[in-house]
C-alpha cells in the first residue's frame, strides 16, 4: 500500500451532521414569532424534501440562513466538507445588506438548485398560521415582501 503525502479530503458531512451543525449554530435564536429558529430550518428542509430536492439541497436548506444570520461564517462554509453545489446554494440564498430584491432573486435563479430551496423557505415564511401570530403591520409587511420575492422568482402566489 503506497502512502500519499497529501491528506485525504474529509468525508462530506452527512445530513444528520449538517442538521446538528445548523441547530447548534442557531441555538438560542428565535424567529419573528419568538419560536425556536430550528423549527423554521426543519420546515424548510422538509419542504425541500417534499418538493423532490436532493441531499445537497436539503443540506443547503438546513444552512440557508447560517451565513446571513452570522450563525456561521462564510469562511466556515467554504472550508466545510460540503459539496460545491451545497455551498453555492447557501451563498445564493445569503442576502447581502442593502441588496435589492431584484439582484437577490437573479442570483438565486442563476444558481442550480437554489430556486427550489428558496421556494420551500418562502412557503414556510408565508405560512398563514405562522404569520397569524404577528402584529398586523409586521404580518402585512412580510406578506408583501414574500409575495414580491415569489413574483421575482416566478414562483406564483404561494407554496
Amino acid at each position: 500500500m503506497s502512502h500519499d503525502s497529501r491528506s485525504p479530503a474529509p468525508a462530506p458531512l452527512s445530513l444528520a451532521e449538517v442538521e446538528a451543525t445548523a441547530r447548534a449554530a442557531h441555538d438560542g435564536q428565535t424567529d419573528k414569532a419568538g419560536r425556536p429558529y430550528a423549527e423554521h430550518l426543519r420546515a424548510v428542509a422538509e419542504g425541500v424534501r417534499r418538493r423532490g430536492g436532493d441531499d445537497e439541497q436539503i443540506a443547503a436548506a438546513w444552512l440557508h440562513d447560517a451565513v446571513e444570520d452570522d450563525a456561521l461564517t462564510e469562511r466556515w462554509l467554504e472550508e466545510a466538507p460540503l459539496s460545491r453545489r451545497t455551498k453555492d446554494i447557501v451563498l445564493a440564498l445569503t442576502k447581502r445588506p442593502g441588496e435589492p430584491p431584484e439582484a437577490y432573486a437573479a442570483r438565486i435563479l442563476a444558481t442550480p438548485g437554489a430556486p427550489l430551496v428558496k421556494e420551500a423557505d418562502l412557503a414556510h415564511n408565508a405560512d398563514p398560521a405562522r404569520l397569524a401570530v404577528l402584529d398586523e403591520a409586521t404580518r402585512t409587511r412580510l406578506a408583501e415582501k414574500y409575495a414580491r420575492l415569489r413574483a421575482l422568482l416566478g414562483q406564483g402566489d404561494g407554496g
Side-chain angles (χ1 to χ4, degrees):
M1 184 158 103
S2 68
H3 290 282
D4 193 323
S5 61
R6 292 173 294 158
S7 57
L13 293 175
S14 69
L15 280 178
E17 290 169 324
V18 171
E19 175 182 347
T21 299
R23 286 180 178 277
H26 289 277
D27 188 43
Q29 184 179 345
T30 57
D31 66 12
K32 290 173 183 68
R35 304 287 309 155
Y37 204 75
E39 291 179 12
H40 171 65
L41 300 177
R42 180 193 49 75
V44 175
E46 282 304 309
V48 168
R49 188 184 324 273
R50 277 194 314 276
R51 287 167 172 80
D54 59 30
D55 285 357
E56 291 177 332
Q57 290 168 301
I58 294 167
W62 278 108
L63 297 169
H64 79 277
D65 279 336
V67 175
E68 181 176 322
D69 291 349
D70 292 323
L72 295 169
T73 65
E74 197 165 329
R75 180 175 179 174
W76 176 90
L77 180 67
E78 285 302 328
E79 294 176 355
L82 297 164
S83 73
R84 183 72 253 164
R85 182 167 171 255
T86 294
K87 294 175 185 184
D88 288 347
I89 293 170
V90 173
L91 292 172
L93 297 178
T94 300
K95 193 162 187 333
R96 309 298 193 257
E99 181 176 35
E102 295 80 5
Y104 179 55
R107 188 175 61 249
I108 292 168
L109 290 171
T111 305
L116 184 131
V117 179
K118 191 61 185 178
E119 179 182 342
D121 179 37
L122 285 169
H124 188 247
N125 281 338
D127 181 299
R130 238 179 134 216
L131 291 173
V133 301
L134 304 173
D135 65 82
E136 186 175 352
T138 301
R139 186 171 52 246
T140 300
R141 178 181 60 79
L142 291 176
E144 289 171 358
K145 173 184 164 183
Y146 301 145
R148 179 164 184 228
L149 189 52
R150 277 196 308 273
L152 289 169
L153 293 169
Q155 294 181 354
D157 61 357

